[in-house]
């Protein structure tokens, strides 16, 4: 089994006391690659240090929409310079979150567009967070794609199927988290069934959103396997076939990561 956790936060304090064990459990579960995601530019060095410490861990650089007004204003050039490091393979997470609105909408959009500019120029993927902001997310994606294509994905997918379809039309990928295993998430599973298999990824968003049967506990990359098993069943595939397909998709999107395939 070869699975990739395409989105986790291994630099978070939740893992500090046992990161070696967390990585070991991931290997034992068949999760052979992890992408740890930056949320604060001011903490990027900590994120990068985790990626440097483990051969199977890579990272991104960026600012979460929650932090758009709290972190120093960032531009595409700064992001691209930090992404020159061999372990930095994408930008984000960035995007829009109008559920909590920890940062003003205008600041979120400004930061989002700066990340997109970096992704377009460097041709490295952008990791998009969108919550309660579907219309504005699509507006920005449509507008920015007119300026020139850029690779990316919508992570922890929980939006409408329209958002997924439009993103795929733009050449992007859709990543599913443990939410897909929840009993009331039939609409999300339906989107997974309707999307092309070659556009699907899986993730944990650890330490958040642990899948069934671990719901309510701290999430970790090893639990990617439960989400993958759930979606494989939905798509009528074996776990092995689904794991291989989504892993190949990861390496197709994140071209800086050496592929074992």
């Amino acid at each position: 089994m070869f699975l990739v956790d395409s989105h986790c936060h291994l630099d978070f304090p939740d893992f500090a006391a046992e990161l070696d064990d967390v990585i070991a459990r991931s290997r034992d579960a068949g999760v052979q690659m992890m992408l740890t995601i930056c949320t604060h530019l001011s903490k990027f060095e900590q994120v990068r240090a985790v990626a440097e410490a483990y051969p199977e861990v890579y990272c991104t650089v960026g600012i979460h929409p929650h932090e758009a007004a709290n972190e120093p204003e960032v531009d595409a050039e700064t992001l691209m310079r930090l992404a020159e490091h061999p372990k930095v393979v994408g930008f984000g997470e960035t995007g829009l979150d109008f559920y909590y609105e920890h940062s003003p909408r205008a600041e979120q959009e400004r930061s989002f567009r700066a990340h997109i500019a970096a992704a377009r120029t460097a041709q490295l993927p952008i990791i998009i967070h969108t919550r309660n902001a579907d219309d504005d997310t699509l507006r920005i994606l449509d507008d920015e794609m007119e300026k020139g294509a850029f690779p990316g994905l919508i992570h922890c997918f929980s939006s409408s199927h329209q958002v997924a379809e439009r993103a795929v039309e733009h050449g992007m990928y859709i990543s599913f988290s443990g939410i897909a295993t929840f009993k009331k998430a039939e609409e999300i599973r339906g989107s997974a069934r309707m999307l092309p298999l070659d556009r699907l990824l899986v993730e944990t968003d650890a330490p958040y959103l642990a899948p069934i049967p671990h719901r309510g506990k701290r999430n970790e990359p090893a639990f990617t396997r439960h989400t993958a098993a759930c979606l494989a069943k939905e798509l009528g595939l074996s776990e092995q076939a689904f794991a291989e397909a989504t892993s190949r998709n990861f390496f197709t999107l994140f071209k800086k990561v050496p592929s074992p395939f």
Side-chain angles (χ1 to χ4, degrees), residues 165-241:
E165 284 186 321
R166 187 84 64 84
V168 168
E169 287 171 5
H170 284 313
M172 305 185 88
Y173 291 71
I174 307 297
S175 181
F176 291 88
S177 71
I179 294 174
T181 71
F182 297 173
K183 184 177 181 181
K184 295 182 179 179
E186 176 54 35
E187 186 175 349
I188 293 173
R189 290 189 291 272
S191 288
R193 290 193 299 269
M194 290 185 281
L195 290 170
L197 177 60
D198 66 0
R199 293 289 155 173
L200 305 186
L201 298 176
V202 284
E203 65 172 88
T204 56
D205 203 12
Y208 310 117
L209 301 172
I212 292 172
H214 300 287
R215 189 175 182 182
K217 300 177 182 178
R218 185 200 68 181
N219 203 359
E220 62 179 73
F223 298 167
T224 308
R225 189 158 188 172
H226 299 294
T227 300
C230 172
L231 291 173
K233 183 177 180 180
E234 289 291 326
L235 272 61
L237 298 172
S238 69
E239 291 183 36
Q240 181 69 37

Side-chain angles (χ1 to χ4, degrees), residues 133-143 162-163 166-167:
D134 286 359
D135 290 345
D136 285 276
T137 297
L138 291 179
R139 170 180 60 82
I140 293 169
L141 288 179
D142 290 346
D143 179 49
Q162 178 192 13
V163 172
R166 187 84 64 84

Side-chain angles (χ1 to χ4, degrees), residues 120-131:
R120 180 187 298 112
T121 302
Q123 284 298 298
L124 294 177
I126 184 171
I127 293 86
I128 298 172
H129 170 114
T130 178
R131 188 174 186 189

